[in-house]
Amino acid sequence: MPTFAAIDIGSNSCRLKIAKVVAHRLKTLAEDREVTRLGASVFDCGLVSPEAMAATIQALKRFQRAVQLHAVDQIRVVATSAMRDARNGPAFQAWVKAETGWNLEIISGLEEGRLIHLGVTGNEPGAAGRVLLVDLGGGSCEITLSDRKRIRETVSLPLGAVRLTGEFLPGDPAPEEGLARMRQLIARELRKAHRKIQPENVTLAIGTSGTAAALSDAVAAWSSAVKASGKTAGKPGGKSQKRSAAKAPGKPLQAFTLSPAPASPAIASTRQVRKLAVRLAQMTVAERSAVQGIGPRRAEIIVPGMAVLLTFLERFHLPAIYYSRAGVRDGVIADLAARNVGAELSRLTREQRREVEDMGRRYGVPVEHARSVAHIAGLLFTALHPLHRLPPAAGKLLEAAAHLLDVGHYISSSSHHKHSYYVVANSDMPGFTERERVLVAALCRYHRKALPNPVHTAFQSLAPEEKRALTVLIPLLRLADNMVRGPERRIESLTCRVQNGEVTLLVHSTGDIDLEQWGAERAAGTFQQVFNRTLTLVRAR
């Protein structure tokens, strides 16, 4: 079974995960992590520093050795908030390509949220109800409302721990003025998020990434220390605890004025988070480093991270938060597996289909018509495989283009195919990689009028294998678009017969196919140009 690798280049750290499909389940083979602080200089001056880039490249080279050792079949390398903001992002992408051969994909906040959701819901049994997910990274914070493992809403906020530290907390300990301004920004951003998400009847909150991990570890370490000492915690805020904290601020968490942890070490109450956030903000970096569960590197950015988590819990009226180890890398692995293992590899996933249909609706595309075109396109892709010989995943791109080829009408009916290209190429499409979006846009561009020309920008930007895929998919998309004539979906299935330079499509239909035959004749010229074969559409008897 195939082996997959995911690399998440975040604003604070780089992470690797390698997993293999075993008995229809993903088995983790290797994991690695390196703190590189790629976003530290980005949030200050808009550029990734040479030192951070070099450190990240070294980490990627180490990851590459693990990828080669495990004979990985497919890898996806993604970057998040820092690279979205960096003006020298393309230069870093080129450096990664030169050193590793990998294509670094800069994903949007919505795609980041989708991958986090996919990773968490695939790894946490408790995430099956109505759940809020909060992922607090170095550069951004993604909040997702999930209902029965389906995303209802996602927002991406500029509230990453590295970003906030650089902007508001340059001193040690954190200056009061900076803390006050930071908390105002956090409160304003989370108010907007609350209005957009409207999280009624949420049963569970799950936190991911480093800050949530530090919170979970700190509370767990304190709870274990209390159990080991055979004592119970004193009254929160009591004199003995305050005195202990004042004398030894760098001691483990049992010195803090916290209530006992809940039964599970992976949960922290809002009250615990509040007390921990207040205490850590009063410490120096050295003192925070000595706290069990925090550590030296997390100590530098834990204060804004805890402030975001606390405000999140209070704004969304949540009593507690659970911690999940899953994150972007887990979502990437699950996404790769879904794309490459299963019976319907040439069809869009339910999530992808929902995305393109929603996008079509935004631009006034009739959904039922688009579904009919996509249905015919899928039948053609399967029937004509002996001619195009593309991998199954190309069928998903054809189906997506069938849904979106008319979005350009929203701008103008004149040259709408060019407008469709612009809209798709510049849209955020969670569930699709950057290269997939580019190919879908190119298919929309050439669903009518002239075939690709080497001087066209839309064609020049493609790799050789992408150019071939585009060229052989264009006739199929044009056929599908022309064969949908009327509101009824009469064609049930297609079979292909190739003989003496002629292609005959046998149509299994519920009625006559006169209109479909006429539509196919309109697109037959393009088919012959590309495949050097004539095309005939006949009804099967």
Side-chain angles (χ1 to χ4, degrees):
M1 296 300 285
T3 301
F4 305 108
I7 294 177
D8 169 21
I9 302 177
S11 304
N12 184 57
S13 60
C14 301
R15 298 172 184 267
L16 164 72
K17 182 166 185 173
I18 302 174
K20 185 173 185 176
V21 178
V22 178
H24 304 291
R25 297 180 65 86
L26 284 166
K27 178 183 178 182
T28 300
L29 302 179
E31 290 187 277
D32 199 353
R33 176 178 179 268
E34 182 72 32
V35 176
T36 60
R37 295 285 162 81
L38 196 66
S41 60
V42 175
F43 308 134
D44 180 41
C45 64
L47 297 171
V48 182
S49 70
E51 296 78 14
M53 285 196 283
T56 304
I57 291 293
Q58 289 304 309
L60 294 180
K61 286 183 176 180
R62 188 174 79 240
F63 293 173
Q64 189 174 44
R65 291 193 288 272
V67 167
Q68 293 169 344
L69 177 65
H70 290 280
V72 167
D73 297 290
Q74 194 170 349
I75 183 171
R76 187 180 180 190
V77 184
V78 301
T80 53
S81 181
M83 295 304 297
R84 289 196 290 266
D85 292 355
R87 296 198 303 273
N88 58 346
F92 182 63
Q93 285 177 298
W95 193 0
V96 171
K97 179 72 173 179
E99 293 289 342
T100 65
W102 294 334
N103 292 314
L104 171 59
E105 180 185 353
I106 301 173
I107 61 175
S108 68
L110 291 181
E111 174 68 356
E112 185 177 356
R114 184 190 75 87
L115 291 171
I116 294 164
H117 175 267
L118 191 59
V120 172
T121 55
N123 286 274
E124 301 293 342
R130 193 168 173 84
V131 180
L132 269 177
L133 309 179
V134 55
D135 180 83
L136 181 60
S140 64
C141 173
E142 280 66 43
I143 302 175
T144 299
L145 175 62
S146 174
D147 190 359
R148 288 173 290 185
K149 298 191 175 183
R150 292 181 60 181
I151 293 177
R152 295 302 181 187
E153 189 65 74
T154 295
V155 294
S156 181
L157 308 172
L159 297 180
V162 175
R163 183 193 296 271
L164 293 175
T165 299
E167 184 173 353
F168 295 105
L169 308 179
D172 182 26
E176 286 298 327
E177 181 184 357
L179 283 168
R181 290 191 295 113
M182 179 188 73
R183 288 165 181 157
Q184 288 177 353
L185 173 67
I186 294 170
R188 184 171 68 247
E189 291 293 332
L190 286 171
R191 276 197 302 272
K192 293 189 292 187
H194 187 273
R195 285 195 298 268
K196 184 173 182 179
I197 291 179
Q198 299 180 354
E200 293 85 3
N201 303 317
V202 169
T203 59
L204 183 68
I206 298 177
T208 62
S209 77
T211 299
L215 169 64
S216 174
D217 290 346
V219 171
W222 172 76
S223 181
S224 297
V226 169
K227 290 180 181 178
S229 66
K231 300 177 182 179
T232 59
K235 180 181 178 182
K239 291 182 179 179
S240 63
Q241 287 186 327
K242 288 182 178 178
R243 196 161 43 245
S244 174
K247 289 181 179 180
K251 291 290 182 67
L253 191 57
Q254 60 262 34
F256 294 176
T257 56
L258 293 176
S259 303
S264 168
I267 185 176
S269 70
T270 300
R271 189 181 185 208
Q272 286 178 311
V273 176
R274 183 181 300 111
K275 289 185 175 294
L276 182 57
V278 170
R279 190 69 187 91
L280 290 175
Q282 298 170 347
M283 291 179 169
T284 64
V285 171
E287 290 168 343
R288 293 194 294 268
S289 298
V291 176
Q292 283 183 265
I294 303 297
R297 297 308 299 269
R298 182 61 52 181
E300 299 171 358
I301 60 173
I302 189 66
V303 171
M306 290 297 298
V308 173
L309 284 184
L310 174 60
T311 310
F312 163 76
L313 289 169
E314 293 176 338
R315 167 55 57 182
F316 287 80
H317 308 292
L318 298 166
I321 186 168
Y322 283 85
Y323 167 63
S324 172
R325 292 186 68 252
V328 170
R329 63 202 179 281
D330 301 272
V332 170
I333 292 286
D335 197 44
L336 289 174
R339 291 166 179 268
N340 291 274
V341 180
E344 294 275 352
L345 297 182
S346 65
R347 304 305 306 273
L348 293 176
T349 64
R350 182 177 63 179
E351 190 177 47
Q352 289 174 320
R353 190 172 294 111
R354 188 186 314 120
E355 174 62 28
V356 295
E357 288 190 355
D358 287 347
M359 184 175 173
R361 287 189 188 95
R362 289 197 299 272
Y363 291 98
V365 176
V367 175
E368 288 305 319
H369 175 80
R371 286 174 177 171
S372 296
V373 177
H375 170 69
I376 299 299
L379 295 179
L380 289 168
F381 182 84
T382 302
L384 294 170
H385 186 266
L387 291 181
H388 62 71
R389 297 189 179 280
L390 292 173
K396 297 185 177 186
L397 308 184
L398 179 64
E399 183 181 349
H403 280 278
L404 300 174
L405 57 86
D406 283 334
V407 296
H409 280 295
Y410 186 85
I411 299 174
S412 173
S413 293
S414 177
S415 298
H416 79 271
H417 56 295
K418 296 180 181 179
H419 301 312
S420 295
Y421 169 77
Y422 177 84
V423 169
V424 175
N426 292 279
S427 291
D428 190 1
M429 292 175 60
F432 295 85
T433 68
E434 178 186 9
R435 299 314 305 169
E436 288 171 340
R437 187 183 74 249
V438 168
L439 262 174
V440 171
L443 278 167
C444 293
R445 165 67 175 82
Y446 295 110
H447 83 272
R448 61 191 291 270
K449 300 288 187 178
L451 285 170
N453 189 306
V455 302
H456 292 169
T457 303
F459 194 66
Q460 287 177 340
S461 64
L462 302 179
E465 64 275 13
E466 293 173 331
K467 290 178 179 178
R468 182 192 177 271
L470 172 66
T471 301
V472 298
L473 287 176
I474 288 171
L476 278 62
L477 184 60
R478 293 190 181 190
L479 273 170
D481 189 33
N482 279 277
M483 286 170 61
V484 176
R485 298 288 164 180
E488 297 180 5
R489 186 185 295 183
R490 289 189 291 267
I491 297 179
E492 296 178 340
S493 63
L494 292 169
T495 54
C496 174
R497 185 173 65 209
V498 181
Q499 188 175 13
N500 299 326
E502 296 182 355
V503 176
T504 303
L505 283 175
L506 302 174
V507 179
H508 301 266
S509 173
T510 57
D512 67 75
I513 59 168
D514 293 345
L515 289 176
E516 287 78 5
Q517 287 175 318
W518 175 73
E521 289 172 4
R522 296 183 64 193
T526 302
F527 186 92
Q528 187 166 13
Q529 278 183 269
V530 172
F531 293 110
N532 195 29
R533 287 177 170 86
T534 60
L535 176 73
T536 306
L537 194 73
V538 299
R539 186 179 178 189
R541 301 299 180 185

